[in-house]
Amino acid sequence: MNEYKNMTIEQLEARFAEIDATLTPADTEEYYEQFNEFIMIGTELGFRRIEESRKKN
């Protein structure tokens, strides 16, 4: 997940949307790699949004 720390929220959202648009369930290594990246980016976005929310309050 370290590679995502240097990305902006906009970059993360764009990559998340890109994967979401093309991710098709299949029993292949490529699918599991994309799904794993999808989950990791979603997690990073969640953490960032929580951090931003805390800063606003």
Side-chain angles (χ1 to χ4, degrees):
M1 201 145 61
N2 288 336
E3 65 214 60
Y4 305 119
K5 298 239 182 258
N6 295 328
M7 295 173 76
T8 66
I9 287 179
E10 292 79 16
Q11 290 172 318
L12 289 168
E13 288 173 338
R15 181 65 181 139
F16 189 83
E18 178 183 326
I19 294 171
D20 188 35
T22 61
L23 193 60
T24 303
D27 192 18
T28 63
E29 186 174 336
E30 180 182 358
Y31 166 75
Y32 291 107
E33 287 174 2
Q34 283 184 319
F35 184 74
N36 186 47
E37 183 179 6
F38 183 75
I39 297 299
M40 290 177 20
I41 291 172
T43 301
E44 181 66 25
L45 278 169
F47 286 141
R48 299 253 188 115
R49 289 180 176 142
I50 289 169
E51 186 178 319
E52 284 184 351
S53 176
R54 287 182 179 163
K55 287 179 181 178
K56 290 179 183 176
N57 293 330

